[in-house]
Amino acid sequence: MKLAEAKQQFISSWGAFGTQWGINRTMAQIHALLLVSTEALTQDDIMEQLSISRGNVNMNIRDLIGWGLVDRVIVAGERKEYFTAEKDIWKVATQIIRERKKRELDPMIKLLAQLENVEGDKKDKEVQQFTEMVGKIKKLGKQADKTLDLFIKADENWFTSSLLKMIK
Amino acid sequence: MKLAEAKQQFISSWGAFGTQWGINRTMAQIHALLLVSTEALTQDDIMEQLSISRGNVNMNIRDLIGWGLVDRVIVAGERKEYFTAEKDIWKVATQIIRERKKRELDPMIKLLAQLENVEGDKKDKEVQQFTEMVGKIKKLGKQADKTLDLFIKADENWFTSSLLKMIK
DNA sequence: ATTATCTTTCATTATTTTTTGAAAATTCAG
DNA sequence: CTGAATTTTCAAAAAATAATGAAAGATAAT
């Protein structure tokens, strides 16, 4: 397989995987394109390479910036904006985890905490089972939350912990 | 909040969260409904409670069975099929992980392995960067794969490991 | 073997999500 | 300040996804 073909394959597949994970196909493709681009790209570059409209590029790029996965790059003497993706794949992973945790896991735990306070007879079997189920899911959610925090922190402390290992 | 209202809220929110994770809203809602139902339900029960069509229930129920999250229940002397959800939330979690791993992570790693073998000059900077990026992502994918396996195994060994702790 | 009950399928319809592209807004050089 | 270059917005169109419901297919009781 040639390089150009491989890149194309990577971009298209990344888009398909994204879709399965509730991520807009185009957003995933733009991210993939920037991941395998040596240089920073303009909106026009992206439009051309993915055959998509200006508005589409603009919206998805801003989303990616909101996810902390893409940065604007200022090129001296150029009017246009350039965009580049974080290339450290470990940072990419922790950033995605950080964001999904904030946007989805945290609100879910909050909701479950509310639902646990259902009114009614604590001896009512229906009430009991519901509260128990909600409580268990909340507990699992909190465990996941903690585990993911450790994961994220592991990254932040990577340098420190490497140093520590050298000293010990 | 009353029980009925809380259940409704749970089902509707579960559907919304599902959507964010690339899971069909209705499928998530049926799963939620079964999770908080004391008794097994028929297709008609589900149709009524969620106000959806028979065909919709049927397809999504079969999907949920395919995911290993819902079981058919045979009730003696009854013609109709009943359905019930696995209530052990830890098992639910590991089952979802097991399936998504199989359906998504494994194929992704396979693809990346292929893309690593791009033809061309190994000294070409473009080729180098692409191969490196793909390799890094594959490595991360494999790490995730291992970690998730541990997670799944932890469950299977839960009883064993509890026993071990007691003996020690 | 016939009938009644229940399940499954799938072409059609409806809904949701994504994309487009032109207009508006912004930015900056001169 | 003016105007050209660039970015952003958003109503409308297109595409993708999901839901409906009637017909066909099973299944089991009589």
Side-chain angles (χ1 to χ4, degrees):
Chain A
M1 196 185 292
K2 298 254 171 61
L3 178 64
E5 195 193 340
K7 274 193 183 182
Q8 210 46 57
Q9 176 79 260
F10 176 70
I11 291 167
S12 132
S13 304
W14 209 243
F17 283 120
T19 300
Q20 292 186 298
W21 281 90
I23 288 150
N24 176 294
R25 188 196 308 300
T26 303
M27 185 169 140
Q29 288 187 349
I30 293 176
H31 188 216
L33 172 61
L34 289 174
L35 276 178
V36 297
S37 295
T38 321
E39 312 293 335
L41 303 180
T42 64
Q43 290 201 354
D44 291 85
D45 294 333
I46 298 169
M47 283 169 66
E48 196 194 344
Q49 296 213 38
L50 301 181
S51 309
I52 56 181
S53 72
R54 180 176 307 286
N56 200 1
V57 170
N58 190 273
M59 289 177 126
N60 284 111
I61 275 280
R62 273 186 309 115
D63 254 353
L64 283 164
I65 292 173
W67 277 81
L69 299 172
V70 165
D71 288 319
R72 282 174 216 275
V73 175
I74 311 271
V75 175
E78 284 265 15
R79 182 75 180 276
K80 282 184 182 171
E81 289 181 329
Y82 284 76
F83 301 95
T84 186
E86 167 63 57
K87 295 292 200 309
D88 179 337
I89 220 64
W90 182 263
K91 277 191 191 166
V92 172
T94 53
Q95 184 58 24
I96 291 172
I97 289 171
R98 202 193 310 274
E99 286 294 324
R100 290 203 94 145
K101 205 167 86 66
K102 186 171 75 191
R103 297 174 188 211
E104 295 152 22
L105 188 56
D106 293 355
M108 196 191 90
I109 291 172
K110 205 169 162 187
L111 171 80
L112 292 169
Q114 278 173 20
L115 293 180
E116 254 184 329
N117 298 322
V118 61
E119 298 166 17
D121 187 0
K122 293 277 155 54
K123 285 170 203 155
D124 180 351
K125 197 181 165 192
E126 285 279 325
V127 172
Q128 254 179 30
Q129 201 207 326
F130 180 78
T131 314
E132 194 188 332
M133 176 56 69
V134 168
K136 277 185 190 164
I137 299 175
K138 195 189 71 179
K139 198 175 156 193
L140 181 70
K142 285 193 167 180
Q143 272 180 14
D145 192 73
K146 271 193 217 164
T147 308
L148 294 174
D149 267 339
L150 278 179
F151 194 72
I152 293 168
K153 290 274 173 57
D155 180 46
E156 283 169 0
N157 295 338
W158 176 82
F159 185 65
T160 317
S161 62
S162 292
L163 272 186
L164 280 176
K165 276 179 199 157
M166 288 173 74
I167 297 171
K168 274 190 217 169
Chain B
M1 196 185 288
K2 298 255 172 61
L3 179 63
E5 196 194 339
K7 274 194 184 182
Q8 210 47 56
Q9 175 80 258
F10 176 70
I11 290 166
S12 131
S13 304
W14 209 245
F17 283 120
T19 300
Q20 291 186 297
W21 281 89
I23 289 151
N24 177 292
R25 189 197 305 302
T26 302
M27 185 170 140
Q29 287 187 350
I30 294 177
H31 188 216
L33 172 62
L34 289 174
L35 276 178
V36 297
S37 294
T38 319
E39 311 293 336
L41 303 181
T42 63
Q43 290 202 352
D44 291 85
D45 293 333
I46 298 169
M47 284 170 67
E48 195 193 345
Q49 295 214 40
L50 301 181
S51 310
I52 57 181
S53 73
R54 180 175 307 285
N56 199 2
V57 171
N58 190 273
M59 289 179 125
N60 284 111
I61 275 280
R62 273 187 309 115
D63 253 354
L64 283 165
I65 292 173
W67 277 80
L69 298 172
V70 165
D71 289 320
R72 282 175 216 274
V73 175
I74 311 271
V75 175
E78 285 264 14
R79 184 74 181 278
K80 281 182 184 169
E81 288 182 330
Y82 284 74
F83 300 95
T84 187
E86 167 62 58
K87 295 292 199 309
D88 179 337
I89 220 65
W90 182 264
K91 279 191 190 163
V92 172
T94 53
Q95 184 58 24
I96 291 172
I97 290 171
R98 200 191 314 272
E99 286 294 324
R100 292 203 92 146
K101 204 166 88 65
K102 185 172 75 192
R103 298 173 187 211
E104 295 152 21
L105 187 56
D106 293 354
M108 195 191 91
I109 291 172
K110 204 169 163 188
L111 171 79
L112 291 170
Q114 278 173 18
L115 294 180
E116 254 185 328
N117 298 326
V118 61
E119 297 167 17
D121 187 358
K122 292 277 154 57
K123 286 171 200 155
D124 179 349
K125 198 181 164 191
E126 285 278 326
V127 172
Q128 252 179 31
Q129 201 206 326
F130 181 79
T131 313
E132 194 189 332
M133 176 58 69
V134 168
K136 278 185 188 165
I137 299 176
K138 195 189 72 180
K139 198 174 157 194
L140 181 71
K142 285 193 168 179
Q143 272 179 15
D145 192 73
K146 271 193 216 165
T147 308
L148 293 174
D149 267 339
L150 278 179
F151 194 72
I152 292 168
K153 290 272 172 59
D155 179 45
E156 283 170 0
N157 295 337
W158 177 83
F159 187 63
T160 316
S161 62
S162 293
L163 272 187
L164 281 176
K165 276 178 199 158
M166 287 173 73
I167 297 170
K168 275 189 209 165

